[in-house]
Amino acid sequence: MSAQVSRVFRLRARGPVACFSRPEMKVERVSYEVMTPSAARGLLESVLWKPAIRWQVHEVAVLAPIQWVSFRRNEVKQRMSPGTVFFADHPDRRTQRNTVALKNVDYVVSASFRRTEHAGPDDNVRKFEEMFERRLERGQTFQAPYLGCREFAAAVEPAPPPEEVKPITTEPERRLGWMFYDFDYRNDGVVPLFFDATLSGGRLRVPPLEDVLREQKRGGNP
């Protein structure tokens, strides 16, 4: 029987600005202190996205000190919809909003992927492992990688050897509170999932999806 889960890959992502927006902030954008698992999965999928696989993030190592930057920028007030003439630069369509973001971020993401029910008979794990390795080493992307918002571009590359990764150690353990995990699309609706995040030794440990779903079923999530 062929393997269903890949080996663990490590990807480095960095950039001058990042904003992993907290959903409880309805108007102004305020970032989490650390990259969310959903944003990390987006970086991995920017290198290799296939319906036959789904990424599971295991850890996000924070290599650069957590620094904040605040700025105002123009944003549109509404979404484009069919049949609507929409000019984003029209004064009535835009407004100034504040953003509290992170600056000079540097992360190493550890993750593996699992075959999904959409995998065909020729979609084996080894094939996708080789595709991801090759694309990451060559700098090939399915879409432009970004850090939370599409305008905050990310540089992605293979991570250095584990012994050379030095996460920040300003605090031995730092509670981050409830953090957005990902959306659950399995049923008819779209359900947001959260988990109790802690930055320990500069590393954010990400629980498996099954544990988050189990905790939510018990009513432990917000």
Side-chain angles (χ1 to χ4, degrees):
M1 182 176 178
S2 61
Q4 300 294 312
V5 182
S6 74
R7 60 185 176 83
V8 175
F9 293 94
R10 300 169 61 256
L11 172 148
R12 186 174 192 177
R14 44 188 164 178
V17 184
C19 185
F20 311 107
S21 301
R22 305 183 72 103
E24 64 268 31
M25 303 297 181
K26 300 294 184 183
V27 179
E28 312 292 349
R29 293 181 188 273
V30 178
S31 176
Y32 284 108
E33 295 169 83
V34 179
M35 176 191 288
T36 62
S38 175
R41 179 175 59 80
L43 288 172
L44 295 159
E45 289 182 344
S46 72
V47 178
L48 180 64
W49 176 85
K50 293 287 182 182
I53 62 172
R54 178 176 175 80
W55 287 98
Q56 167 68 55
V57 177
H58 304 301
E59 179 187 280
V60 177
V62 183
L63 307 189
I66 298 173
Q67 303 178 77
W68 299 94
V69 61
S70 178
F71 49 86
R72 297 181 70 85
R73 55 181 177 162
N74 291 330
E75 296 191 15
V76 294
K77 295 180 180 178
Q78 64 185 93
R79 295 178 180 176
M80 183 180 292
S81 59
T84 301
V85 179
F86 190 87
F87 297 99
D89 59 346
H90 193 282
D92 293 338
R93 302 286 190 186
R94 66 174 188 248
T95 185
Q96 277 209 332
R97 289 179 176 159
N98 194 52
T99 296
V100 180
L102 301 166
K103 68 176 183 179
N104 299 329
V105 299
D106 192 355
Y107 303 108
V108 168
V109 177
S110 301
S112 60
F113 62 79
R114 177 186 296 274
R115 280 179 16 128
T116 70
E117 65 276 14
H118 302 295
D122 296 331
D123 291 332
N124 60 75
V125 168
R126 183 57 187 157
K127 179 179 78 171
F128 293 121
E129 286 180 340
E130 292 175 349
M131 289 176 65
F132 181 77
E133 282 182 316
R134 182 172 62 250
R135 292 177 64 83
L136 183 60
E137 290 173 358
R138 293 179 179 176
Q140 296 175 317
T141 55
F142 169 73
Q143 61 182 8
Y146 58 92
L147 296 162
C149 298
R150 289 188 183 274
E151 58 268 43
F152 302 147
V156 297
E157 60 190 57
E163 61 273 15
E164 296 180 14
V165 174
K166 307 294 183 187
I168 57 172
T169 54
T170 53
E171 299 175 50
E173 190 167 284
R174 183 172 183 173
R175 293 290 304 275
L176 303 178
W178 290 105
M179 174 179 281
F180 177 64
Y181 184 86
D182 213 328
F183 287 109
D184 181 12
Y185 295 99
R186 295 174 307 152
N187 300 315
D188 294 336
V190 180
V191 179
L193 302 174
F194 294 83
F195 73 109
D196 192 8
T198 300
L199 191 64
S200 180
R203 300 176 187 271
L204 174 67
R205 312 285 184 185
V206 181
L209 175 62
E210 294 76 13
D211 291 356
V212 177
L213 293 173
R214 193 179 306 114
E215 185 68 20
Q216 173 153 316
K217 192 174 182 179
R218 286 202 301 259
N221 292 355

